[in-house]
Structure formats: C-alpha cells, structure tokens
Amino acid sequence: MKKYAWIGALFFFILLVSGALYYLGKRSKVEQIPSGYKHILSFSEEGMRIDLYSKVGKLDVGKNSIYVLIKPAKRLKELYFYMPPMPGMGEMREDASIKEVSPGAYSVDVSISMAGSWQIVLGLDGKVIKRDISVPFTAEGKVQAKKDKIAIDPNKLQLIGIQTDMVKKGDIVESFSTVGYVSYDLSRVHQITLRSDGWVLDTFGRFEGELIKRGTPLMRVLSPDVNIAKEELRLSKELGRKDLERAVLEKLSFLKSGDVVRSPYDGVILERGTYDGGFLKAGDIAYKIADISRVWVIAEVPQEYAGVLRKGMEVIVSPVGEEDSLIGRVDYVFPEADRMSRTVKARVSLANRDVRLKVNQMVNVYFEKDLGEVLTVPEDAVVDTGKRKVVFVEIQPGLYEPRNVRLGRKAQGYYQVLDGLKEGERVVVKGNFLLDSEAQIKGLYGEEAKAHEHH
C-alpha cells in the first residue's frame, strides 16, 4: 500500500515539474529577445509596459529593425514615425511593416528618411501611445556620432526636396538702381552785364524760362560813356589823329559798344535783372542764361552703395515714363552725405539733344560695376540669421554641415565669398530652411539658438 502511495506522489511531482517547465519555456519563448538586439526605449502607461529593442542599439536615418514587447500582451495594429510640418516642407510620416512573432511580441522594420525631431506612434487595441524622440536616438537619448552634422536618408532627398549647387568662381557684375533728377550744368550758366552805366530802352519781351537762340536780342541800351567815346572817335578822325583814333577804338571795344545787346549763347533765361526804362550800373547782372545743350543728372545713391561709386562708372539713365535710355558716366561724387535721406549724390553729365531732358525732371539711374572673377555662392544657399550667415555644405549625399560664411557684395543672384567656403564644394540651395530648423533643434548654433535668433 505504501508502495502505491509513493508511486502516486512521484507521479504528481513529475506532473507538477513538467507543468512548471512548460510554463517557463512558453514564457521564455514569448519574452526571448533576438540575438544582438539592445533595449533602447520603454513606454509605461496604465499598467501596460512596452519595450523597444534595436538590432544596432539605436534608431538612425535609414532602415531600422526593431523588436517590440508588450506586457500584458496586446495587439499592435500600427507603428509609425511622424514629423509635423515645418517652414518649406509639409508633414512627414514613415510607416513600419509589422510581423507578429508571438502574442505581445512583434518584429518591426521602418525606414526613417532624415534626422530630426520625430514622434513615434503606436496604435494598440483601442489605444494610441506617442512619444517624442530625436533621431539619431540611443538608449540614453543622445545624438550619435557626428554631432555637428545633419543626416538625411539619401533615398528620400528628392521626396524632401533638397537640392544643391556648386561653389565656383565666376565673373559677376554688381548692379543697383536709384532715382535722380535733371539739373542745369552750372558750368554753363552765363551772366550778361554791362561795362558802363546805361539806361535800358527795350527788353524785346524777354522773360524768365524762355528758350532762346544765340543772337537773340536781349535789350537796347543807351550808355552815356559809349556815346561820349563815339563823339571822341568822330573828332579824332576829323583831326587826323591816328593815335587818338586807336585809343578810342580800344575804349569802345572794352565797353562793347552797340545799341542792342544780343545773347552770345543758346539756352534758357534763368533770371532777368532789368526792365524797360530801367537803369543798369556797370557790372550789374542783366540776365542769367543757362546753356542746356548739356545737363547734369544728380543721382541719389543709398549709402550702402556709396563704396561702389567711382568716377568714370558707366550708368544708364531712363527718364520716368519713357522707354528709351541714355548712357553716361559719373563725372563727380559729392563729398557729403545727406543725413536725412541717407544718400550720397553722384553727378552724371549728359548731352541734351532736342531738349529731351527737362530740368527738375525725375529719372531712374542704373549703375553697374564689374567685380571681376570671384568665388561665388548662390544667393538661395544663404540663411541670414541676423547675427550670422550660414550655408549647409553637403559632405556626402544625405549628410550636411552648417557652416558660417563671410560674404561680400551680392550680384546677379550670387554672393561674393570672402571666407568659409572652397571652390568645388556643394551647398544646399533648396530645402535649407528645413535644415536650419533642424540645426536649431539640435543646438548646432550654440547659445544663439537658445535665444531664438531666427524669430
């Protein structure tokens, strides 16, 4: 009897051990992590725990193999990475392919197109769990490897819209336009005076602003000194005194004898200093006449371009409202700036055939300066933060380095490069604001990013 009791107890013990081993084996099978996978991330929410393991111990740009364990076991319906829209690009979503290994255990493959701030989203039975991470991501949540660079999946560059161009040398011409106005050529303003006192008998209806020709009568004058000299000439001839006659002729030549004074120039009467019946003393200004066969154009140049101005620069002058243009050269740069308008004056002398240009008329003035062969970078490649100018240099497709640059003049869609780039390097010309946002997030600008210099 005891023998049968002992056999029953042994059989019960074997069943108990077998059950325990079966349970432990099953549990081990469920929780067994594939060889080489390392724990990188955990979620804990409402009594549920989710653990993520990575084949390489991190999440990075490109293809990622992930192992997911959910306790207690839940069905994983979807897993994806989401990046909200940023300036210059729309939202991004990278969906994972999911394979169930056993209840609560899943093998997941997902490709991440670029480095940056992502949301990892898990859809379970009736529940959505989210967590913000920065890719590359390790168990410590730190950026891996090249901390001063931004990585993007090369296969996704076209989708994201990133384009590059080459830094190269080239001949560029700096140009800018400004406004100006037409002025008299002050070197061609003439004064009409008398060399002896006299009465003005007639001004022939002359008026200020009148356009006159050379030889146009200006006034008829009665001068006592001239009349006396003429009488002396008559007497010297009667007496046969050649010496006196020569002296009187010289006197009349000096006095510019003649009843009618005519204009010696073509031009415009600026001022009329006499009237019919008036009296003029010797040296008084009777008329001011401006020769307008040539005029000055005074260009108001913004101070930022003052360093470009040079005597002899060729310019194009376009009268406002007209299609045709005139070509001239800067013949003088005024030494003073206008502190109110913050401009510097530059003078251009132009021939004025057929009085095409009217004094005080507004004109557009177009300046050009050949900068010669210089190292250039496309204007679209430059991100101006206000405190610095940055370009993103392509180290290799998908890997970009933000670099501070020192730039010179801007012309024809290019900047002159003074420092920071080398000929042959490639820079991002489209999509750089996306990289700029990522550089701020990663702190690649140092302390300035914390001050939100871009905002």
Side-chain angles (χ1 to χ4, degrees):
M1 189 70 178
K2 290 183 179 180
K3 180 179 180 180
Y4 289 111
W6 182 83
I7 292 174
L10 180 61
F11 180 72
F12 178 76
F13 177 75
I14 292 173
L15 287 176
L16 184 63
V17 171
S18 298
L21 291 174
Y22 174 78
Y23 173 76
L24 291 173
K26 185 177 180 181
R27 180 181 178 187
S28 176
K29 184 177 180 181
V30 172
E31 296 187 357
Q32 184 179 3
I33 309 303
S35 176
Y37 279 72
K38 298 179 181 179
H39 184 267
I40 58 169
L41 186 60
S42 293
F43 300 82
S44 295
E45 190 167 336
E46 297 180 5
M48 180 173 54
R49 178 182 173 89
I50 303 173
D51 291 288
L52 273 65
Y53 300 80
S54 170
K55 193 171 185 178
V56 293
K58 65 178 179 178
L59 295 174
D60 208 343
V61 176
K63 186 176 180 180
N64 292 267
S65 295
I66 305 170
Y67 196 78
V68 181
L69 283 181
I70 306 173
K71 301 176 185 177
K74 297 282 186 180
R75 184 185 173 193
L76 181 61
K77 292 183 176 181
E78 64 177 351
L79 187 153
Y80 62 88
F81 286 77
Y82 174 76
M83 179 181 287
M86 291 188 292
M89 66 168 285
E91 63 180 9
M92 298 179 65
R93 173 170 168 159
E94 310 287 9
D95 287 284
S97 61
I98 302 172
K99 180 181 179 181
E100 185 177 16
V101 177
S102 59
Y106 297 90
S107 176
V108 176
D109 289 322
V110 61
S111 290
I112 302 176
S113 59
M114 66 173 289
S117 297
W118 293 84
Q119 262 189 351
I120 181 169
V121 183
L122 292 86
L124 307 176
D125 290 325
K127 196 169 191 64
V128 175
I129 299 176
K130 301 178 181 179
R131 178 162 173 178
D132 294 330
I133 64 171
S134 181
V135 175
F137 183 87
T138 66
E140 293 79 23
K142 296 180 181 178
V143 175
Q144 288 285 312
K146 300 170 181 176
K147 297 182 180 180
D148 59 342
K149 298 176 178 60
I150 301 170
I152 296 177
D153 184 352
N155 297 322
K156 300 294 181 70
L157 292 179
Q158 187 173 0
L159 176 64
I160 296 172
I162 288 182
Q163 297 178 10
T164 62
D165 199 355
M166 185 177 292
V167 178
K168 57 189 175 183
K169 288 185 178 180
D171 290 312
I172 60 174
V173 176
E174 182 179 26
S175 61
F176 63 92
S177 61
T178 186
V179 296
Y181 59 91
V182 180
S183 170
Y184 292 110
D185 183 339
L186 297 183
S187 67
R188 293 172 176 264
V189 176
H190 308 284
Q191 297 177 346
I192 307 301
T193 61
L194 299 179
R195 293 186 176 179
S196 62
D197 297 348
W199 281 269
V200 178
L201 305 180
D202 191 0
T203 58
F204 303 102
R206 301 281 80 86
F207 57 90
E208 292 181 358
E210 183 181 6
L211 182 63
I212 59 176
K213 296 290 186 179
R214 181 177 180 179
T216 299
L218 299 176
M219 54 186 173
R220 179 178 287 111
V221 179
L222 175 62
S223 172
D225 291 341
V226 171
N227 286 341
I228 292 172
K230 287 180 177 180
E231 184 63 23
E232 289 175 347
L233 179 61
R234 186 183 67 79
L235 291 174
S236 62
K237 287 180 178 180
E238 288 180 356
L239 297 173
R241 296 285 303 273
K242 295 294 183 182
D243 54 337
L244 290 177
E245 185 178 344
R246 284 194 299 271
V248 173
L249 288 173
E250 289 179 0
K251 182 178 180 180
L252 286 172
S253 176
F254 172 78
L255 294 175
K256 292 186 176 180
S257 63
D259 294 336
V260 177
V261 178
R262 299 179 181 275
S263 173
Y265 316 102
D266 294 341
V268 173
I269 297 175
L270 298 183
E271 293 181 14
R272 191 189 75 167
T274 187
Y275 52 91
D276 293 352
F279 180 78
L280 290 174
K281 295 179 67 67
D284 286 351
I285 298 173
Y287 288 91
K288 279 188 179 180
I289 299 174
D291 179 359
I292 58 172
S293 60
R294 292 194 71 86
V295 292
W296 287 343
V297 168
I298 308 299
E300 300 278 355
V301 180
Q303 290 185 18
E304 61 187 282
Y305 295 111
V308 177
L309 293 176
R310 295 288 185 275
K311 184 177 180 180
M313 285 183 67
E314 188 173 270
V315 300
I316 300 174
V317 178
S318 299
V320 173
E322 297 186 22
E323 295 183 359
D324 296 335
S325 301
L326 301 169
I327 296 178
R329 292 186 180 276
V330 174
D331 66 355
Y332 186 69
V333 177
F334 290 79
E336 294 182 355
D338 189 320
R339 62 182 177 182
M340 297 299 293
S341 64
R342 297 183 179 180
T343 58
V344 173
K345 290 182 172 61
R347 190 181 74 193
V348 180
S349 180
L350 291 174
N352 191 26
R353 297 181 182 87
D354 302 322
V355 196
R356 177 181 174 184
L357 296 173
K358 309 297 189 292
V359 173
N360 296 323
Q361 180 181 11
M362 297 298 294
V363 295
N364 294 315
V365 186
Y366 185 79
F367 290 80
E368 286 188 347
K369 181 184 178 183
D370 188 355
L371 299 179
E373 187 179 59
V374 296
L375 187 64
T376 64
V377 64
E379 179 183 353
D380 292 340
V382 179
V383 178
D384 191 346
T385 72
K387 293 185 178 180
R388 63 171 80 193
K389 291 181 173 63
V390 177
V391 299
F392 291 88
V393 180
E394 183 182 64
I395 306 302
Q396 63 187 51
L399 188 62
Y400 304 94
E401 175 190 19
R403 192 179 298 175
N404 296 330
V405 292
R406 190 163 62 92
L407 304 175
R409 311 301 301 185
K410 182 174 72 172
Q412 299 172 287
Y414 289 87
Y415 276 105
Q416 178 186 6
V417 178
L418 301 179
D419 189 34
L421 292 171
K422 295 180 182 179
E423 185 177 7
E425 290 185 306
R426 298 196 70 84
V427 293
V428 177
V429 294
K430 187 175 181 181
N432 45 11
F433 285 99
L434 165 66
L435 298 180
D436 175 49
S437 298
E438 182 57 29
Q440 291 184 68
I441 294 171
K442 294 178 69 173
L444 301 187
Y445 295 146
E447 293 299 321
E448 291 183 25
K450 299 178 181 179
H452 303 284
E453 67 177 11
H454 294 265
H455 305 288

